[in-house]
């Protein structure tokens, strides 16, 4: 009768299990209530008479925590009772560590729902272990925790499971569990004896699934079940996101334009964190094959579900059976797995999450940049496959989806083109707030506070080499104005580099006082690289200056020592010594007498095709170079020489001519 009454009024009844975490108040009250039919005890009046007649008993042999008459009573659970549930266990643990009750809900809210589910398994095992070994669940020793982890390892748990247990117990008992050296060593041993292995050693080709669904009828002719399955598999492949993300797509966050559809995920997902951007799903129109175009499928799905959609449901994906409601992540996973099985993918090995592996692997083989893959799949820096890089430039947001839908040559043929430049090695990510500021400074320069920062770090007196060397006055006279202007700019940059080295040196000094080896190593490496760059700046300035001088001056300034001045102190004296040394060396050379010029015979000029001897052209007189007439050029410019006309070249042709005439 009740069912008919509800059916006439279009009310649907269905049974639903309510988890303890979602029913905390009722669960807590049920644990507080004492069932008199089970927890029986002597009345206070009877116990008082026994006490006055027989005396105070030392132990209550048949009692529990709810009916004990003495402070001491035997129990296998040390008075802690049954397992209260994950959230309640955390509440009691936080209260024991001094957390105010007003902050308990806010503290527990920091844990994701799936994290609580995972820790709930560890807490249940821990409660059982404490009950069997007569331990207090909230006040064990580190040795007890080690025994618990060892027992779980003996039962078949691998390194990943033990690490999850350690994290849960660290939250329950305190941070000393994770920081203990013995527990760390225990987990390293578990990793070596039973290491974690990846779930998938290979993946499947997305083209197999796309070829299958492209043979389905048109979107308008598909049933709601087939249309829903087609939608979820295309979303999973073209976005490379988890099914959790797909289940959180809201209608009011779907934006369409001429190029395609963009979906903003406003709800928190697994990779959400403070300071991290929420993902945006980009689905372009794929006109080459509209049967597998994800944007077109979404438009048709919205049209097909418009009349079936409940008014209070804002999610995109609905269940196709009545009553139509928002599809859960588990339902979407099941539908994806059904499409994979229908396409010939071995679902005993590959699950719904394998679409994430298959799509990203296919995109990488197609030559898509790793930056695009990371951005599309919302991978974090802790990901084993692709690391997330903050605000990396993206060539085209639609590249990822197009690369999945298009058919590409095998990766072996792509290797013939050479190494992919996008697969370059990257280091550890910097702090997010640091990246925000450094990226702006590297792109636009330091516009403000530049003067204040320079004044904050004065160059130390015991390391004068940090200052940019001064250009010698003798050299200033010899070079032109553009060279002087260029050197002033380079000297200012070198001076700023010295100030940066001063800041690094001060930080390194603090690290040496704190005896922080990691900080000392990193700051020392940075300092040495910057010192080498400072030296290269000096060498570059010297070369640019000497390039504008004559050969003799350039040789004299070669390998000049660098101190406070760019070419060293006492440059004038060193230059005089160099000139005198060159003069002495030229005088020490053996005198070589030049041979007398050969005697020539003047021949009469003859008209016609007379073939006379070749004439030697006179050598032109070398003129001094035109430039700035200054004191330095007049003093050090090499003297010009007049070369006499040389004798004519003698040869067989010349001898034959003399014999003829």
């Amino acid at each position: 009768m009740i069912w008919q009454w509800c059916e006439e009024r279009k009310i649907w009844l269905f049974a639903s299990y309510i988890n303890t975490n979602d029913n905390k108040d009722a669960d807590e009250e049920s644990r507080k209530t004492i069932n008199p039919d089970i927890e029986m005890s002597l009345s206070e009046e009877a116990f008082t008479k026994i006490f006055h007649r027989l005396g105070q008993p030392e132990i209550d042999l048949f009692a529990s925590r709810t009916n004990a008459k003495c402070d001491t009573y035997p129990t296998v659970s040390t008075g802690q009772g049954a397992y209260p549930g994950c959230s309640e266990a955390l509440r009691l643990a936080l209260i024991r560590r001094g957390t105010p009750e007003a902050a308990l809900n806010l503290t527990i809210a920091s844990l994701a729902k799936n994290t609580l589910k995972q820790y709930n398994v560890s807490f249940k095992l821990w409660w059982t272990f404490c009950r069997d070994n007569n331990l207090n669940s909230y006040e064990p020793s580190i040795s007890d925790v080690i025994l618990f982890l060892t027992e779980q390892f003996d039962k078949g748990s691998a390194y990943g499971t033990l690490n999850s247990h350690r994290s849960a117990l660290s939250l329950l008992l305190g941070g000393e569990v994770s920081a203990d050296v013995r527990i760390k060593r225990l987990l390293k041993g578990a990793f070596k004896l039973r290491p974690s292995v990846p779930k998938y050693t290979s993946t499947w080709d997305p083209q197999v699934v796309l070829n299958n669904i492209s043979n389905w009828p048109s979107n308008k002719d598909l049933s709601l079940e087939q249309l829903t399955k087609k939608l979820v598999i295309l979303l999973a492949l073209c976005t490379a996101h988890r099914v959790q993300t797909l289940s959180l797509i809201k209608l009011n966050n779907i934006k369409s334009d001429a190029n395609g559809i963009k979906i903003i995920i406003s709800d928190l997902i697994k990779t959400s964190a403070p300071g991290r951007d929420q993902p945006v799903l980009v689905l372009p129109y794929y006109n080459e094959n509209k049967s597998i175009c994800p944007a077109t499928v979404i438009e048709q799905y919205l049209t097909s579900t418009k009349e079936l959609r409940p008014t209070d449901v804002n999610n995109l994906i609905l269940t196709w059976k009545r009553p139509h409601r928002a599809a859960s992540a588990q339902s979407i996973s099941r539908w994806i797995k059904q499409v994979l099985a229908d396409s010939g993918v071995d679902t005993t090995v590959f699950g719904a999450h394998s679409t994430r592996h298959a799509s990203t692997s296919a995109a990488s083989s197609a030559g898509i940049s790793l930056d695009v893959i990371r951005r599309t799949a919302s991978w974090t820096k802790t990901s084993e496959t692709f690391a997330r890089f903050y605000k990396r430039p993206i060539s085209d947001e639609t590249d990822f989806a197009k690369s999945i839908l298009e058919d590409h040559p095998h990766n072996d043929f792509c290797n013939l083109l050479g190494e992919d430049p996008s697969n370059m090695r990257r280091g550890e990510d910097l702090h997010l707030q640091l990246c925000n500021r450094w990226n702006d400074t590297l792109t636009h320069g330091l516009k403000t506070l530049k003067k204040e920062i320079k004044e904050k770090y004065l160059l130390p007196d015991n390391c004068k080499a940090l200052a940019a060397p001064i250009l010698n006055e003798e050299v200033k006279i010899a070079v032109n104005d553009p060279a002087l202007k260029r050197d002033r700019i380079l000297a200012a940059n070198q001076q700023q580099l010295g100030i940066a080295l001063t800041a690094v040196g001060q930080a390194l000094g603090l690290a040496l006082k704190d005896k922080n080896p990691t900080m000392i190593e990193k700051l020392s490496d940075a300092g040495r690289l910057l010192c080498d760059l400072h030296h290269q700046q000096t060498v570059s300035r010297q070369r640019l200056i000497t390039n504008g001088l004559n050969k003799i001056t350039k040789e004299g300034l070669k390998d000049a020592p660098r101190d406070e001045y760019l070419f060293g102190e006492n440059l004038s004296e060193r230059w005089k010594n160099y000139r005198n040394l060159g003069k002495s060396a030229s005088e020490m050379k053996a005198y070589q007498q030049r041979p007398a010029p050969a005697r020539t015979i003047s021949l009469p000029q003859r008209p016609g095709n007379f073939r006379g001897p070749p004439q030697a052209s006179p050598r032109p007189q070398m003129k001094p170079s035109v430039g700035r007439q200054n004191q330095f050029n007049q003093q050090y410019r090499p003297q010009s020489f007049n070369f006499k006309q040389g004798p004519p070249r003698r040869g067989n042709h010349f001898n034959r001519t003399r014999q003829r005439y």
Side-chain angles (χ1 to χ4, degrees), residues 19-33:
N19 193 284
T20 302
N21 296 329
D22 301 327
N23 196 22
K24 298 176 183 177
D25 296 336
D27 184 72
E28 183 179 357
E29 293 299 328
S30 66
R31 297 180 187 277
K32 291 180 180 179
T33 304

Side-chain angles (χ1 to χ4, degrees), residues 542-559:
Q542 289 177 341
R543 290 178 179 176
L544 290 173
I545 289 295
T546 55
N547 284 340
L549 303 176
N550 57 50
K551 184 177 181 181
I552 297 178
T553 308
K554 185 184 299 185
E555 289 294 329
L557 297 179
K558 185 179 180 181
D559 300 329

Side-chain angles (χ1 to χ4, degrees), residues 413-533:
F413 296 100
C414 295
N415 292 334
L416 299 176
L417 302 176
E419 185 179 358
D420 187 1
S422 62
N423 295 330
M424 60 184 302
R425 295 181 60 188
R426 299 286 184 177
E428 182 182 356
D429 282 3
L430 300 178
H431 192 279
L432 183 60
Q433 298 299 327
L434 183 63
C435 290
N436 289 339
R437 289 154 178 80
W438 278 15
N439 281 330
D440 181 73
T441 304
L442 291 170
T443 305
H444 306 98
L446 190 61
K447 298 180 180 179
T448 59
L449 301 178
K450 187 174 183 178
K451 183 178 180 181
E452 290 79 355
I453 295 176
K454 288 183 177 181
E455 294 176 352
K456 187 188 302 184
Y457 302 101
L458 300 178
L459 298 180
D461 188 59
N462 61 346
C463 192
K464 296 182 179 180
L466 290 175
I470 305 172
L471 183 61
N472 302 70
E473 292 295 332
E474 300 90 341
V475 182
K476 284 184 180 180
I477 301 175
V479 297
N480 52 26
D481 292 336
L484 290 175
K485 183 177 180 181
R486 178 182 58 196
D487 186 74
R488 283 195 295 267
I489 296 174
L490 295 177
N493 295 337
Q494 192 176 13
Q495 186 75 7
Q496 182 172 331
L497 182 59
I499 296 174
L501 274 168
T502 302
V504 173
Q506 293 179 4
L508 185 56
L510 295 176
L512 289 171
K513 291 181 180 179
D514 297 338
K515 297 181 180 180
N516 188 337
T518 303
M519 190 69 66
I520 292 173
E521 180 184 5
K522 293 183 181 298
L523 289 175
S524 177
D525 293 342
R528 284 184 289 181
L529 290 174
L530 292 176
C531 286
D532 181 72
L533 182 60

Side-chain angles (χ1 to χ4, degrees), residues 48-104:
T48 303
K49 291 180 179 180
I50 295 174
F51 173 75
H52 288 296
R53 180 174 296 183
L54 301 178
Q56 174 68 38
E58 296 179 358
I59 185 173
D60 193 344
L61 293 177
F62 305 97
S64 65
R65 65 185 180 91
T66 58
N67 60 9
K69 300 299 182 181
C70 300
D71 294 336
T72 304
Y73 58 93
T75 178
V76 295
S77 59
T78 67
Q80 64 186 11
Y83 174 57
C86 182
S87 298
E88 187 62 25
L90 288 177
R91 286 174 180 272
L92 296 176
L94 292 173
I95 291 175
R96 284 173 173 265
R97 296 207 298 269
T99 304
E101 292 189 10
L104 292 178

Side-chain angles (χ1 to χ4, degrees), residues 108 120 229:
I108 296 178
N120 185 51
K229 290 181 178 180

Side-chain angles (χ1 to χ4, degrees), residues 114 235 241-254 263-272 278-279 281 314-317 326-329 332:
N114 290 334
L235 286 176
H241 269 269
R242 300 175 177 87
V243 291
Q244 176 205 22
T245 306
L246 305 184
S247 66
L248 296 175
I249 298 177
K250 300 295 191 299
L251 294 179
N252 54 347
N253 292 332
I254 300 176
I263 304 174
I264 302 173
I265 305 299
S266 57
D267 296 88
L268 296 180
I269 60 175
K270 183 178 181 180
T271 57
S272 297
Q278 286 291 104
L281 311 183
N314 192 30
N315 294 60
L316 170 65
I317 306 175
S328 63
I332 296 176

Side-chain angles (χ1 to χ4, degrees), residues 228-244:
T228 305
K229 290 181 178 180
K230 186 175 183 178
L231 173 65
V232 295
I233 190 64
L234 287 177
L235 286 176
L237 288 175
C238 295
T239 64
H241 269 269
R242 300 175 177 87
V243 291
Q244 176 205 22

